[in-house]
């Protein structure tokens, strides 16, 4: 059953340009350009619950464009074993620490 949910979430994220991001103070997307720490995390469909508190919609095309426009970020993503197509969101604890979420 979890596999069906994962497929449904993946399909919904693919059909929409909006993904999910957890925001603390401010926007995690804004923090991406000034973050001193960028990490990557593999997430499951259960973790991409839009009803969770703190989640906000993010334009995935913009997020992917920012990653693609930064050779360092793109190299980190590839070192993590993921591609731009795997990116499903971003989360931030503050303006210096963000995590890019990849579909697992």
């Amino acid at each position: 059953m979890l596999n069906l949910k994962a497929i449904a979430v993946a399909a919904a994220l693919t059909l929409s340009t909006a993904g999910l991001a957890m925001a603390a103070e401010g926007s995690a997307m804004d923090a991406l350009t000034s973050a001193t720490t960028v990490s990557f995390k593999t997430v499951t469909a259960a973790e991409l619950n839009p009803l969770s508190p703190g989640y906000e919609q993010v334009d995935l095309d913009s997020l992917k464009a920012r990653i693609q426009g930064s050779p360092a970020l793109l190299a980190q993503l590839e070192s993590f074993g993921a591609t731009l197509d795997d990116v499903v969101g971003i989360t931030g604890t503050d303006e210096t620490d963000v995590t890019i979420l990849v579909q697992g």
Side-chain angles (χ1 to χ4, degrees):
M1 186 59 126
L2 181 59
N3 287 339
L4 285 176
K5 287 181 182 178
I7 291 169
V9 168
L13 290 172
T14 301
L15 294 174
S16 170
T17 60
L20 300 175
M22 183 176 287
E25 298 290 319
S27 169
M29 281 285 287
D30 293 338
L32 185 58
T33 57
S34 63
T36 55
T37 303
V38 176
S39 57
F40 296 86
K41 178 182 177 186
T42 302
V43 293
T44 63
E47 293 173 293
L48 290 174
N49 184 352
L51 301 177
S52 297
Y55 276 81
E56 67 180 47
Q57 283 196 319
V58 169
D59 180 353
L60 283 178
D61 288 338
S62 294
L63 174 58
K64 291 175 182 182
R66 285 190 187 190
I67 295 169
Q68 189 169 27
S70 170
L73 279 178
L74 191 55
Q76 281 182 279
L77 177 67
E78 291 169 351
S79 291
F80 185 72
T83 67
L84 282 174
D85 290 335
D86 299 322
V87 173
V88 293
I90 187 169
T91 180
T93 55
D94 60 41
E95 65 274 356
T96 63
D97 185 20
V98 298
T99 301
I100 296 173
L101 307 174
V102 296
Q103 185 175 344

